[in-house]
Amino acid sequence: MLVTNPIYMKILYSDLKKYIPGLHATPEQIAEFYTMTGLMLDSRTDVSYNNHVDTLFSLEVRQNRADCFCVLGLVRELAASVNSPIQIPSVSEITKSETFPNITIVDERFVRRLTAIQINNVTVKQSPQWLKEYVELHGINSINLLVDLSNYTMLLTGYPNHIFDMDKVQGSLQWRVSSQHKSMITLGSNEVQLHSEVLTIEDDNSPLALAGAIGGDIARVDENTHNILIEVGVYDPALVMRNSRSLSISTETSRRLEKNLDPHGTRYALELLVSLVLQECGGIISSEVFDFFPGEKDAIPEIPYDPHLAEHIAGVPISSDDSLGILQRLNFTVDSTAIPWKIVPPTYRTDISIAEDIAEEVIRFVGYNKIPSDEIPALDVVTNITPEEEILVTNLRPILISDGYDEILSSPLITPAQNVETNYAKDESIIVENAVNEEFTALRQSLAAGLMNQVTNYLKQGISTIQIFEIGTVFSKKGTMFNEKLHLGLLHFVSPQEQQIGTFWLHVDRLLKHAGITSIDLVPSESGQRPQIANESSCWLIMHNEEQIGVIYKTKPLWKEGSAYIAEINIHELIKVDIDQNNRATTELTQRMSSYDINIVRPENSNTFELAAEIETQLPVNSLWSISLTDRYKLADGKQPNLTRYTFRISYINLAEQDAKLLHEKLYTVIPGAEQGELP
Amino acid sequence: MDIDTVLNSLIQRLNTTNSVDEFLKLRKEYIGPNGIVKQHEQQLASLPVEQKRIIGPKLQQLKKDVERVIEEKNGELHSNTLLKRQESESESINFSQAKIGHYHPITNTISMMNQLFIEMGYSIMNGPEIETDTYCFQRLNVPVDHPARDMQDTIYVQAPNILLRTQTSSIESRVLEEFKPPMKVICPGRVYRNEKANRSNHFIFHQYQGFVVLPHVTLKDLFGTFNALFKRMYGDDVEVRYRNKYYPEVEPGVGPDMKCFNCKGTGCAVCKNVGWIEMGGAGMIHPHVLSMAGIDPQKWMGFAFGLGIDRWVMAKYNITDIRTLLGGNVGYKPNLYENTI
Ligand SMILES: [Zn+2]
């Protein structure tokens, strides 16, 4: 699920009581109601407002509820719950006038509605104390009476508006994208570079405001303002969002207008602000209301709704009567004469478009707490589609753990240099475009970098017994193809005198065998096949059927305390290897076991596991029980000073003694340097 | 201290002494350079001759006795510790074994969760970490201009279409498209967010996603599944509440909260004083999400959930810095009797 940055709206307890006269709920009950129905309580604080003790709620508003970024929207939600009528602030009728404000909408397609009106002869006094307190409690600085009233109206209705000082405007006001101007000075004196997609409000000479974002400095209102134009507009929300992001301007205005705000409510917001201005600042209305509303006649689509949908989704009975009551309280128009019902949501509910949206309204008002949660559901049995790779990883982990390896997880973002040092494949590294940290810009091509970082960390802390592994994704590209592979990385840190790579390989080999993977070979690496950090003479490619599936090496002495053995295996490749189920299978025993020795003379320090494997390949899987090294004797006859005699004991099963002996004796002829061993 | 009571008080005090430290203090108090015996010797020097004759031998005897009982106690203590050490050695021989490794706490938590869902018949799926805008956003009902989108929050491999996935729901959108319902799937995974790393936020974190698509499932099934998970992770006493919450990919949406494990609901710093901790998001899969994946929403319904794992893990393992979890200083304490042979 997407984690998004939460957005909050504040509301006073006294406002709720003012606009819902019948409200008796306590602040606790109100907080609980909002939280459970989708507007989670962020905080509840006791404040002083208008000489009274009050409670200020801060609520996390759902991203799709444009109607809830305002006091009246939150009031409507609560009123529906307590089933009590609301009383919204009344507005005085705007007197008719002959003239219209001088407005041109150049780019109409981005303007969903624009209302505007001119008022002359206002007096900009100090804001009354209650107004100052109000806007500041809601997180907005008090500026002057006009600006405070403008913000107050936005807080109440959710519709941002803007007031221009008309004595500073030259000619007509134009709404346009693709301004001729290069930049604009905003309120707060920041210079903004305009580009071809910015919606501006301009006069004949200069840009005056970024519509949907912020006003400009030139036509701002101040204490000396007398003649004003008020506009309330609703624009294309996508354009507002793109403008806000490209200009890095996020304001109370843009946050509201980038949501899907209902253009129908614009007129009330304008009328409310006009009433407040006339009341607080005086002045006379000096124009007709300019009202551009291309979508006015668009019908709101009727949604067919089966009243059983809510209980079908919730899993608990919900009666049609309950559904109907809830929807009516939420101001939905419901025609319930036939099934499906025909439902028209109120225009401000721009979040409602399908039947499931309506069902959610019903269920959240019935209450999620009415749905029992203590029954483990008996869901249908379905086919298991878990990929093999996932099963293999699940099997590998416990083997590594029991072998003494600690699991680590490291960041897939590393430095480009670390990729160069640790990569062993012939593909390109991927650099991300906007890395969080400018140092770690590359997606890892190998797990070795993360494992080595952990070694460095551990050594710093004085920990030197280090056996670690990581199972994780590595990334690369070939041309325009991006590749991801699941790798297993294994690291064993050793002091200079400890261990040999053979012992480390034994771990890796045993791990693979446990997982049922037997037919793996090692071949010495050639230059170009080794990671840079590998010691040239201790690096092998792990092969299966001519395909490289991994690499095993000793690092160069990168730490003063010692070196590390690293093995890295591509798990995607591993699952292509035929996993030998017989290797783990039980066997039926039909004959007494018989054991014979074989001596093999080979150069000193031969790899005994390779020798054992050599024997193994010559014997039928079903007859072989075990091969073990029982003796190692350095031949000192002077002629061949570097030879060693290795004695293996081979145990045969399910063969008559004679047959086992025949099979064993055949080995003397096929294995170079083999000779008969003593019979036990 | 009267010379006649010195020995008895010492014996009494020694009898109640079992620790070496305490014993060493007592020894210093009695026979140290400024100890009680020494003080008596110094006082003796200033006494008249007659008294010296009486007290002198007494003091000699006392000194011998004090040293004797102290030596006895020393031996007793010494053999006790020795015995203990031997005991512990013999235990360690019994228990010693080769080093056993450890799961990473994140993987461990995922495995525990997986176990439950495997028991309930879910498949485990994974998907690419480099994703396209289509699968990471659009198929989850977040079109290009959706307000829930924050471009700044996304790490891009090749803007605007190729990115590091910001949510494991991207696996869901791929599985929905690739496989035919019915299905029950979980998909744990790593996700990325363009955010500076600090103690409590990281640009890499882990989510645990799950979803089912069946002919009929309900919110009640979702809540029951969630409760089973919370009980498995936190025990039967865990208290969970479900509230309405918005996610574009579900309708209706659900926010599951767990009663704060720290304050039990009364409010504290862990739960930001609300008594509950948000555990992620869930809901019924939005019909558009199904139809975009080619599944008929008239025939199939689904629920989906996604949880952040990192905070659970931090709380459970008492880790205070989230960076510890990723290539940081996550330390694995060895087993107590490790490597003692
Ligand atoms: Zn708490």
Side-chain angles (χ1 to χ4, degrees):
Chain A
M1 300 271 163
L2 195 60
V3 179
T4 50
N5 291 322
I7 30 178
Y8 303 104
M9 178 68 207
K10 291 193 166 86
I11 189 163
L12 283 163
Y13 186 41
S14 59
D15 264 3
L16 289 168
K17 287 195 291 193
K18 179 173 162 190
Y19 299 121
I20 310 174
L23 181 68
H24 299 294
T26 62
E28 287 74 21
Q29 290 167 332
I30 289 168
E32 172 79 2
F33 158 76
Y34 278 128
T35 296
M36 296 307 286
T37 55
L39 304 159
M40 192 178 65
L41 181 76
D42 163 53
S43 66
R44 194 177 85 211
T45 22
D46 292 331
V47 293
S48 158
Y49 168 62
N50 206 10
N51 298 318
H52 289 89
V53 176
D54 211 329
T55 302
L56 185 69
F57 304 93
S58 169
L59 305 173
E60 189 181 328
V61 179
R62 294 168 54 123
Q63 292 273 9
N64 65 340
R65 291 297 300 271
D67 62 313
C68 282
F69 280 96
C70 62
V71 169
L72 294 178
L74 296 176
V75 163
R76 276 194 300 256
E77 283 278 299
L78 183 61
S81 166
V82 298
N83 199 9
S84 203
I86 66 169
Q87 211 164 59
I88 61 166
S90 58
V91 295
S92 47
E93 204 173 318
I94 295 174
T95 49
K96 293 277 173 200
S97 166
E98 293 299 304
T99 54
F100 279 88
N102 191 359
I103 287 176
T104 318
I105 303 174
V106 180
D107 292 295
E108 291 189 350
R109 67 186 188 284
F110 295 112
V111 181
R112 299 178 66 202
R113 188 164 188 187
L114 181 66
T115 56
I117 195 165
Q118 233 168 294
I119 301 177
N120 287 350
N121 294 327
V122 298
T123 315
V124 185
K125 300 173 291 188
Q126 278 273 313
S127 288
Q129 193 57 31
W130 70 265
L131 180 57
K132 279 189 191 169
E133 284 178 14
Y134 193 91
V135 293
E136 283 178 357
L137 280 171
H138 289 81
I140 298 174
N141 289 335
S142 167
I143 307 288
N144 61 43
L145 185 50
L146 274 178
V147 175
D148 290 355
L149 288 174
S150 154
N151 284 328
Y152 177 73
T153 305
M154 176 183 69
L155 288 169
L156 229 49
T157 63
Y159 289 84
N161 57 74
H162 193 67
I163 306 179
F164 294 93
D165 184 334
M166 289 308 281
D167 294 321
K168 299 172 183 168
V169 174
Q170 315 291 322
S172 75
L173 283 170
Q174 302 141 39
W175 269 251
R176 60 161 76 235
V177 294
S178 71
S179 166
Q180 300 302 305
H181 304 280
K182 291 237 156 39
S183 67
M184 190 194 93
I185 307 291
T186 66
L187 294 168
S189 308
N190 295 315
E191 184 171 359
V192 173
Q193 302 303 317
L194 302 176
H195 58 77
S196 61
E197 248 217 322
V198 183
L199 181 62
T200 55
I201 307 169
E202 308 187 342
D203 68 3
D204 293 351
N205 295 338
S206 352
L208 303 179
L210 302 173
I214 194 166
D217 198 50
I218 293 178
R220 64 190 284 198
V221 293
D222 55 35
E223 301 73 41
N224 304 315
T225 296
H226 294 295
N227 303 316
I228 59 171
L229 179 132
I230 302 172
E231 60 88 357
V232 184
V234 174
Y235 310 111
D236 174 12
L239 180 76
V240 173
M241 190 167 83
R242 287 200 299 275
N243 284 178
S244 154
R245 300 209 169 139
S246 65
L247 303 174
S248 297
I249 296 174
S250 177
T251 59
E252 294 279 343
T253 297
S254 67
R255 276 195 287 279
R256 287 177 171 83
L257 286 173
E258 68 187 22
K259 312 263 172 325
N260 191 8
L261 200 57
D262 170 29
H264 291 86
T266 312
R267 180 82 180 220
Y268 171 74
L270 181 82
E271 287 169 354
L272 179 62
L273 181 52
V274 169
S275 302
L276 289 165
V277 168
L278 294 176
Q279 189 186 311
E280 300 289 332
C281 310
I284 45 167
I285 293 174
S286 51
S287 83
E288 185 56 74
V289 177
F290 176 93
D291 196 342
F292 173 77
F293 189 6
E296 187 179 8
K297 300 279 186 305
D298 297 353
I300 301 151
E302 220 172 46
I303 303 168
Y305 179 74
D306 179 339
H308 299 297
L309 185 61
E311 62 183 10
H312 188 67
I313 288 175
V316 291
I318 297 172
S319 74
S320 297
D321 283 352
D322 285 350
S323 297
L324 187 61
I326 288 166
L327 293 170
Q328 285 170 341
R329 266 145 57 198
L330 285 163
N331 302 322
F332 285 61
T333 308
V334 183
D335 174 358
S336 60
T337 47
I339 288 177
W341 293 354
K342 296 189 192 85
I343 296 184
V344 180
T347 57
Y348 54 81
R349 291 302 302 270
T350 53
D351 59 309
I352 305 290
S353 60
I354 58 171
E356 281 76 5
D357 297 330
I358 296 171
E360 178 177 49
E361 293 305 297
V362 172
I363 298 167
R364 77 187 174 104
F365 275 86
V366 166
Y368 279 17
N369 56 358
K370 299 289 190 316
I371 301 172
S373 59
D374 50 1
E375 296 169 31
I376 296 181
L379 300 180
D380 305 357
V381 175
V382 302
T383 314
N384 194 320
I385 50 172
T386 306
E388 237 179 295
E389 169 187 301
E390 192 63 48
I391 297 166
L392 181 63
V393 167
T394 311
N395 289 340
L396 284 176
R397 270 204 185 91
I399 301 169
L400 287 158
I401 301 291
S402 69
D403 250 356
Y405 287 86
D406 291 325
E407 183 179 26
I408 69 154
L409 292 179
S410 67
S411 168
L413 284 162
I414 60 176
T415 69
Q418 285 175 315
N419 262 346
V420 172
E421 286 162 9
T422 57
N423 179 32
Y424 63 89
K426 289 185 192 69
D427 41 23
E428 290 170 69
S429 152
I430 301 172
I431 306 289
V432 300
E433 292 181 350
N434 55 337
V436 182
N437 182 320
E438 55 197 32
E439 207 184 329
F440 304 111
T441 55
L443 284 166
R444 64 182 176 204
Q445 287 172 281
S446 153
L447 296 176
L451 293 166
M452 286 161 51
N453 282 344
Q454 188 71 22
V455 168
T456 306
N457 265 336
Y458 270 169
L459 290 174
K460 252 187 237 160
Q461 311 289 344
I463 298 168
S464 56
T465 311
I466 307 171
Q467 266 179 285
I468 46 178
F469 76 97
E470 176 166 11
I471 294 173
T473 314
V474 300
F475 307 83
S476 65
K477 68 173 174 185
K478 266 193 178 134
T480 54
M481 286 290 293
F482 297 99
N483 292 315
E484 281 181 46
K485 292 175 227 152
L486 189 65
H487 272 201
L488 161 68
L490 214 64
L491 180 148
H492 192 154
F493 180 78
V494 284
S495 62
Q497 63 275 17
E498 262 183 296
Q499 267 215 358
Q500 288 180 345
I501 196 152
T503 321
F504 180 60
W505 168 244
L506 204 137
H507 276 221
V508 178
D509 188 47
R510 188 164 63 202
L511 163 78
L512 296 173
K513 290 213 166 95
H514 267 297
I517 298 153
T518 48
S519 48
I520 301 278
D521 301 317
L522 288 186
V523 297
S525 65
E526 286 164 22
S527 69
Q529 297 175 319
R530 285 188 285 270
Q532 281 186 8
I533 51 164
N535 184 328
E536 288 82 348
S537 56
S538 307
C539 179
W540 285 266
L541 310 182
I542 305 174
M543 307 291 288
H544 171 72
N545 283 349
E546 318 284 305
E547 287 282 330
Q548 187 183 354
I549 63 164
V551 66
I552 179 168
Y553 55 93
K554 183 179 187 176
T555 65
K556 291 173 179 166
L558 301 167
W559 302 273
K560 67 176 191 314
E561 295 89 344
S563 314
Y565 290 115
I566 294 179
E568 189 159 355
I569 295 167
N570 181 340
I571 292 178
H572 285 302
E573 289 293 334
L574 211 54
I575 54 172
K576 292 188 200 153
V577 177
D578 292 330
I579 292 181
D580 183 0
Q581 295 298 337
N582 284 334
N583 191 44
R584 291 179 292 178
T586 48
T587 298
E588 190 191 10
L589 296 175
T590 57
Q591 297 276 345
R592 196 184 150 78
M593 179 190 286
S594 35
S595 302
Y596 306 100
D597 283 359
I598 182 171
N599 292 330
I600 303 176
V601 176
R602 287 288 171 92
E604 198 181 336
N605 293 333
S606 294
N607 186 324
T608 53
F609 291 92
E610 282 173 17
L611 290 180
E614 231 177 283
I615 299 171
E616 193 182 337
T617 51
Q618 299 295 335
L619 295 170
V621 173
N622 296 335
S623 307
L624 183 62
W625 180 260
S626 70
I627 303 172
S628 54
L629 182 71
T630 54
D631 191 23
R632 190 198 302 246
Y633 179 71
K634 204 169 159 186
L635 297 175
D637 62 358
K639 287 178 206 158
Q640 294 164 311
N642 293 324
L643 288 181
T644 296
R645 186 178 71 212
Y646 300 89
T647 305
F648 290 91
R649 177 157 302 170
I650 307 174
S651 299
Y652 299 89
I653 47 161
N654 296 346
L655 286 174
E657 210 178 313
Q658 268 320 93
D659 296 337
K661 208 169 181 178
L662 276 175
L663 198 59
H664 186 76
E665 281 167 354
K666 210 185 119 199
L667 292 177
Y668 305 146
T669 60
V670 292
I671 294 178
E675 53 188 51
Q676 186 168 349
E678 283 168 37
L679 293 178
Chain B
M1 192 183 281
D2 191 318
I3 191 162
D4 295 311
T5 61
V6 170
L7 187 62
N8 279 334
S9 84
L10 173 62
I11 289 169
Q12 262 176 28
R13 291 175 70 184
L14 282 174
N15 281 342
T16 58
T17 297
N18 287 315
S19 86
V20 175
D21 281 355
E22 223 178 309
F23 166 75
L24 291 175
K25 266 190 217 146
L26 266 183
R27 187 162 80 170
K28 195 176 166 196
E29 193 184 325
Y30 281 87
I31 56 175
N34 294 310
I36 292 171
V37 172
K38 201 78 187 170
Q39 286 169 20
H40 279 286
E41 282 175 340
Q42 280 159 359
Q43 281 167 20
L44 186 72
S46 61
L47 288 178
V49 180
E50 297 83 348
Q51 286 193 19
K52 268 188 195 165
R53 275 205 198 120
I54 304 165
I55 294 178
K58 260 189 170 181
L59 191 57
Q60 288 296 319
Q61 188 56 43
L62 176 70
K63 195 176 170 185
K64 274 185 196 162
D65 288 341
V66 165
E67 281 170 352
R68 180 179 49 80
V69 295
I70 283 179
E71 194 41 49
E72 275 168 12
K73 184 69 186 182
N74 187 18
E76 183 192 324
L77 277 178
H78 188 71
S79 57
N80 274 353
T81 10
L82 212 63
L83 202 65
K84 269 196 195 139
R85 200 184 301 154
Q86 276 168 355
E87 271 167 16
S88 74
E89 266 167 10
S90 65
E91 271 179 44
S92 66
I93 286 161
N94 287 338
F95 283 94
S96 72
Q97 49 190 295
K99 181 178 181 306
I100 296 282
H102 304 74
Y103 291 97
H104 190 277
I106 297 268
T107 324
N108 201 18
T109 306
I110 291 175
S111 304
M112 280 172 77
M113 292 177 167
N114 283 355
Q115 196 49 47
L116 173 76
F117 284 102
I118 290 168
E119 287 163 23
M120 296 198 287
Y122 284 63
S123 299
I124 307 171
M125 301 298 285
N126 50 38
E129 293 179 34
I130 298 179
E131 257 303 353
T132 61
D133 190 88
T134 309
Y135 288 104
C136 196
F137 292 114
Q138 296 172 37
R139 283 294 181 84
L140 296 158
N141 212 20
V142 185
V144 172
D145 290 319
H146 195 279
R149 241 191 221 235
D150 199 339
M151 303 274 287
Q152 267 73 38
D153 283 352
T154 306
I155 300 180
Y156 284 94
V157 169
Q158 213 171 71
N161 285 322
I162 299 173
L163 43 89
L164 296 179
R165 70 178 175 210
T166 56
Q167 50 174 341
T168 40
S169 301
S170 63
I171 308 174
E172 179 187 322
S173 43
R174 281 183 180 275
V175 174
L176 286 179
E177 184 186 69
E178 205 173 317
F179 294 87
K180 295 229 176 316
M183 54 177 112
K184 295 194 283 188
V185 172
I186 43 158
C187 29
R190 168 180 283 175
V191 298
Y192 300 79
R193 187 180 156 93
N194 196 345
E195 183 167 24
K196 283 252 181 301
N198 57 37
R199 290 183 71 83
S200 45
N201 292 301
H202 206 292
F203 53 88
I204 294 161
F205 52 103
H206 300 83
Q207 283 186 337
Y208 197 89
Q209 183 89 11
F211 62 95
V212 309
V213 181
L214 293 171
H216 185 213
V217 278
T218 64
L219 281 175
K220 188 177 146 199
D221 297 329
L222 170 62
F223 292 3
T225 304
F226 247 114
N227 257 43
L229 173 64
F230 280 64
K231 283 191 172 158
R232 176 66 65 96
M233 301 305 287
Y234 289 97
D236 283 346
D237 296 337
V238 72
E239 221 181 298
V240 189
R241 75 171 182 194
Y242 302 92
R243 60 188 161 78
N244 181 260
K245 193 178 181 187
Y246 172 67
Y247 290 98
E249 67 192 84
V250 287
E251 184 75 324
V254 177
D257 300 333
M258 186 177 69
K259 186 158 272 182
C260 179
F261 54 85
N262 193 41
C263 65
K264 309 280 177 267
T266 55
C268 71
V270 173
C271 58
K272 291 191 281 176
N273 277 321
V274 291
W276 296 89
I277 299 175
E278 291 186 73
M279 300 310 286
M284 305 302 291
I285 300 177
H286 199 290
H288 291 173
V289 170
L290 292 177
S291 55
M292 277 188 280
I295 297 171
D296 183 357
Q298 299 298 322
K299 292 190 184 135
W300 300 98
M301 292 173 81
F303 67 65
F305 57 86
L307 305 162
I309 301 178
D310 303 70
R311 274 166 215 284
W312 287 39
V313 170
M314 287 170 74
K316 198 174 156 86
Y317 291 84
N318 257 328
I319 290 168
T320 56
D321 188 338
I322 193 168
R323 291 167 297 191
T324 302
L325 291 173
L326 269 191
N329 288 324
V330 59
Y332 301 92
K333 285 195 229 154
N335 304 321
L336 196 56
Y337 296 110
E338 184 175 58
N339 294 336
T340 44
I341 293 183

